[in-house]
Amino acid sequence: MTEKIALTPNTHTAPPARFSHGVRKGNILQVAGQVGFLPAEEGRPPTPAGPTLREQTLQTLANVKAILEEGGASWDDVMMIRVYLTDVDHFAEMNDLYNTYFEQQALTAPPAARTTVYVGLPAGLLVEIDALAVLD
């Protein structure tokens, strides 16, 4: 049986509850919902990258990428991305940020994606992103 491996890059703080930032089992890697917290620093609580959607989205994507890399994956291995926004008015800006970011990643094919509005994020957080990757 294939071992299930919990993934927590050194850029991330330990999760606040019994879950993993990511899990890999065999060739499947699931990245848990990530938000735009800056890389972890000893003695500093989790801190958002900034107040804007742009700052938080770019940091959130960097956090997802760190977990993918920790599990031996890349953006090209991602099959599905789910984006959760706290404000319906952010859809157009998110699409622009998303398109620009993934153009820079030079993907062979973009992943499937879904964006929805979710109002349950902690105060000040504007976006959460999770991803599912399948490795060769």
PDB file of all heavy atoms in Angstrom, residues 118-133:
ATOM      1  N   TYR A 118     -16.983  32.905  -1.301  1.00  0.00           N
ATOM      2  CA  TYR A 118     -17.063  32.258  -0.002  1.00  0.00           C
ATOM      3  C   TYR A 118     -16.785  33.330   1.042  1.00  0.00           C
ATOM      4  O   TYR A 118     -15.736  33.972   0.999  1.00  0.00           O
ATOM      5  CB  TYR A 118     -16.033  31.120   0.072  1.00  0.00           C
ATOM      6  CG  TYR A 118     -15.900  30.501   1.433  1.00  0.00           C
ATOM      7  CD1 TYR A 118     -16.916  29.701   1.943  1.00  0.00           C
ATOM      8  CD2 TYR A 118     -14.769  30.697   2.205  1.00  0.00           C
ATOM      9  CE1 TYR A 118     -16.807  29.120   3.192  1.00  0.00           C
ATOM     10  CE2 TYR A 118     -14.651  30.116   3.460  1.00  0.00           C
ATOM     11  CZ  TYR A 118     -15.670  29.330   3.940  1.00  0.00           C
ATOM     12  OH  TYR A 118     -15.566  28.758   5.178  1.00  0.00           O
ATOM     13  N   VAL A 119     -17.680  33.536   1.957  1.00  0.00           N
ATOM     14  CA  VAL A 119     -17.522  34.636   2.904  1.00  0.00           C
ATOM     15  C   VAL A 119     -16.997  34.190   4.265  1.00  0.00           C
ATOM     16  O   VAL A 119     -16.945  34.989   5.188  1.00  0.00           O
ATOM     17  CB  VAL A 119     -18.853  35.414   3.084  1.00  0.00           C
ATOM     18  CG1 VAL A 119     -19.239  36.105   1.792  1.00  0.00           C
ATOM     19  CG2 VAL A 119     -19.960  34.496   3.570  1.00  0.00           C
ATOM     20  N   GLY A 120     -16.553  32.948   4.380  1.00  0.00           N
ATOM     21  CA  GLY A 120     -16.140  32.426   5.676  1.00  0.00           C
ATOM     22  C   GLY A 120     -14.668  32.543   6.013  1.00  0.00           C
ATOM     23  O   GLY A 120     -14.234  31.965   6.994  1.00  0.00           O
ATOM     24  N   LEU A 121     -13.887  33.269   5.227  1.00  0.00           N
ATOM     25  CA  LEU A 121     -12.469  33.417   5.552  1.00  0.00           C
ATOM     26  C   LEU A 121     -12.293  34.372   6.735  1.00  0.00           C
ATOM     27  O   LEU A 121     -13.119  35.259   6.947  1.00  0.00           O
ATOM     28  CB  LEU A 121     -11.695  33.950   4.343  1.00  0.00           C
ATOM     29  CG  LEU A 121     -11.585  33.014   3.152  1.00  0.00           C
ATOM     30  CD1 LEU A 121     -10.833  33.690   2.013  1.00  0.00           C
ATOM     31  CD2 LEU A 121     -10.901  31.720   3.538  1.00  0.00           C
ATOM     32  N   PRO A 122     -11.196  34.224   7.485  1.00  0.00           N
ATOM     33  CA  PRO A 122     -10.945  35.153   8.581  1.00  0.00           C
ATOM     34  C   PRO A 122     -10.870  36.602   8.083  1.00  0.00           C
ATOM     35  O   PRO A 122     -10.520  36.851   6.922  1.00  0.00           O
ATOM     36  CB  PRO A 122      -9.580  34.696   9.122  1.00  0.00           C
ATOM     37  CG  PRO A 122      -9.506  33.248   8.758  1.00  0.00           C
ATOM     38  CD  PRO A 122     -10.200  33.152   7.426  1.00  0.00           C
ATOM     39  N   ALA A 123     -11.184  37.526   8.958  1.00  0.00           N
ATOM     40  CA  ALA A 123     -11.210  38.957   8.616  1.00  0.00           C
ATOM     41  C   ALA A 123      -9.907  39.379   7.940  1.00  0.00           C
ATOM     42  O   ALA A 123      -8.817  39.007   8.376  1.00  0.00           O
ATOM     43  CB  ALA A 123     -11.444  39.782   9.871  1.00  0.00           C
ATOM     44  N   GLY A 124     -10.042  40.132   6.857  1.00  0.00           N
ATOM     45  CA  GLY A 124      -8.882  40.655   6.148  1.00  0.00           C
ATOM     46  C   GLY A 124      -8.386  39.778   5.020  1.00  0.00           C
ATOM     47  O   GLY A 124      -7.635  40.239   4.166  1.00  0.00           O
ATOM     48  N   LEU A 125      -8.771  38.508   5.006  1.00  0.00           N
ATOM     49  CA  LEU A 125      -8.338  37.611   3.942  1.00  0.00           C
ATOM     50  C   LEU A 125      -9.358  37.649   2.806  1.00  0.00           C
ATOM     51  O   LEU A 125     -10.562  37.579   3.033  1.00  0.00           O
ATOM     52  CB  LEU A 125      -8.161  36.190   4.460  1.00  0.00           C
ATOM     53  CG  LEU A 125      -7.017  36.018   5.455  1.00  0.00           C
ATOM     54  CD1 LEU A 125      -6.968  34.588   5.975  1.00  0.00           C
ATOM     55  CD2 LEU A 125      -5.680  36.394   4.843  1.00  0.00           C
ATOM     56  N   LEU A 126      -8.860  37.760   1.577  1.00  0.00           N
ATOM     57  CA  LEU A 126      -9.710  37.976   0.410  1.00  0.00           C
ATOM     58  C   LEU A 126      -9.802  36.780  -0.520  1.00  0.00           C
ATOM     59  O   LEU A 126     -10.701  36.719  -1.353  1.00  0.00           O
ATOM     60  CB  LEU A 126      -9.183  39.180  -0.385  1.00  0.00           C
ATOM     61  CG  LEU A 126      -9.044  40.486   0.392  1.00  0.00           C
ATOM     62  CD1 LEU A 126      -8.381  41.546  -0.473  1.00  0.00           C
ATOM     63  CD2 LEU A 126     -10.395  40.953   0.899  1.00  0.00           C
ATOM     64  N   VAL A 127      -8.846  35.831  -0.415  1.00  0.00           N
ATOM     65  CA  VAL A 127      -8.792  34.736  -1.375  1.00  0.00           C
ATOM     66  C   VAL A 127      -8.205  33.479  -0.712  1.00  0.00           C
ATOM     67  O   VAL A 127      -7.340  33.574   0.164  1.00  0.00           O
ATOM     68  CB  VAL A 127      -7.967  35.134  -2.624  1.00  0.00           C
ATOM     69  CG1 VAL A 127      -6.533  35.473  -2.263  1.00  0.00           C
ATOM     70  CG2 VAL A 127      -8.016  34.071  -3.708  1.00  0.00           C
ATOM     71  N   GLU A 128      -8.711  32.343  -1.149  1.00  0.00           N
ATOM     72  CA  GLU A 128      -8.159  31.041  -0.769  1.00  0.00           C
ATOM     73  C   GLU A 128      -8.098  30.203  -2.036  1.00  0.00           C
ATOM     74  O   GLU A 128      -8.987  30.297  -2.895  1.00  0.00           O
ATOM     75  CB  GLU A 128      -9.069  30.371   0.258  1.00  0.00           C
ATOM     76  CG  GLU A 128      -8.588  29.009   0.698  1.00  0.00           C
ATOM     77  CD  GLU A 128      -9.469  28.392   1.778  1.00  0.00           C
ATOM     78  OE1 GLU A 128      -9.994  29.117   2.629  1.00  0.00           O
ATOM     79  OE2 GLU A 128      -9.639  27.154   1.728  1.00  0.00           O
ATOM     80  N   ILE A 129      -7.040  29.401  -2.171  1.00  0.00           N
ATOM     81  CA  ILE A 129      -6.861  28.573  -3.356  1.00  0.00           C
ATOM     82  C   ILE A 129      -6.418  27.175  -2.936  1.00  0.00           C
ATOM     83  O   ILE A 129      -5.527  27.044  -2.092  1.00  0.00           O
ATOM     84  CB  ILE A 129      -5.826  29.181  -4.336  1.00  0.00           C
ATOM     85  CG1 ILE A 129      -6.285  30.560  -4.814  1.00  0.00           C
ATOM     86  CG2 ILE A 129      -5.563  28.245  -5.517  1.00  0.00           C
ATOM     87  CD1 ILE A 129      -5.263  31.308  -5.644  1.00  0.00           C
ATOM     88  N   ASP A 130      -7.035  26.148  -3.522  1.00  0.00           N
ATOM     89  CA  ASP A 130      -6.532  24.788  -3.345  1.00  0.00           C
ATOM     90  C   ASP A 130      -6.266  24.180  -4.720  1.00  0.00           C
ATOM     91  O   ASP A 130      -6.668  24.741  -5.737  1.00  0.00           O
ATOM     92  CB  ASP A 130      -7.475  23.926  -2.497  1.00  0.00           C
ATOM     93  CG  ASP A 130      -8.803  23.598  -3.143  1.00  0.00           C
ATOM     94  OD1 ASP A 130      -8.834  23.222  -4.328  1.00  0.00           O
ATOM     95  OD2 ASP A 130      -9.836  23.700  -2.467  1.00  0.00           O
ATOM     96  N   ALA A 131      -5.565  23.059  -4.746  1.00  0.00           N
ATOM     97  CA  ALA A 131      -5.181  22.454  -6.030  1.00  0.00           C
ATOM     98  C   ALA A 131      -5.062  20.939  -5.876  1.00  0.00           C
ATOM     99  O   ALA A 131      -4.695  20.433  -4.813  1.00  0.00           O
ATOM    100  CB  ALA A 131      -3.850  23.030  -6.506  1.00  0.00           C
ATOM    101  N   LEU A 132      -5.342  20.260  -6.972  1.00  0.00           N
ATOM    102  CA  LEU A 132      -5.176  18.814  -7.064  1.00  0.00           C
ATOM    103  C   LEU A 132      -4.200  18.521  -8.184  1.00  0.00           C
ATOM    104  O   LEU A 132      -4.402  18.975  -9.324  1.00  0.00           O
ATOM    105  CB  LEU A 132      -6.511  18.130  -7.347  1.00  0.00           C
ATOM    106  CG  LEU A 132      -6.446  16.620  -7.591  1.00  0.00           C
ATOM    107  CD1 LEU A 132      -6.033  15.894  -6.318  1.00  0.00           C
ATOM    108  CD2 LEU A 132      -7.780  16.113  -8.094  1.00  0.00           C
ATOM    109  N   ALA A 133      -3.130  17.790  -7.870  1.00  0.00           N
ATOM    110  CA  ALA A 133      -2.111  17.458  -8.869  1.00  0.00           C
ATOM    111  C   ALA A 133      -2.017  15.945  -9.012  1.00  0.00           C
ATOM    112  O   ALA A 133      -2.198  15.191  -8.051  1.00  0.00           O
ATOM    113  CB  ALA A 133      -0.757  18.028  -8.464  1.00  0.00           C
TER     114      ALA A 133
END
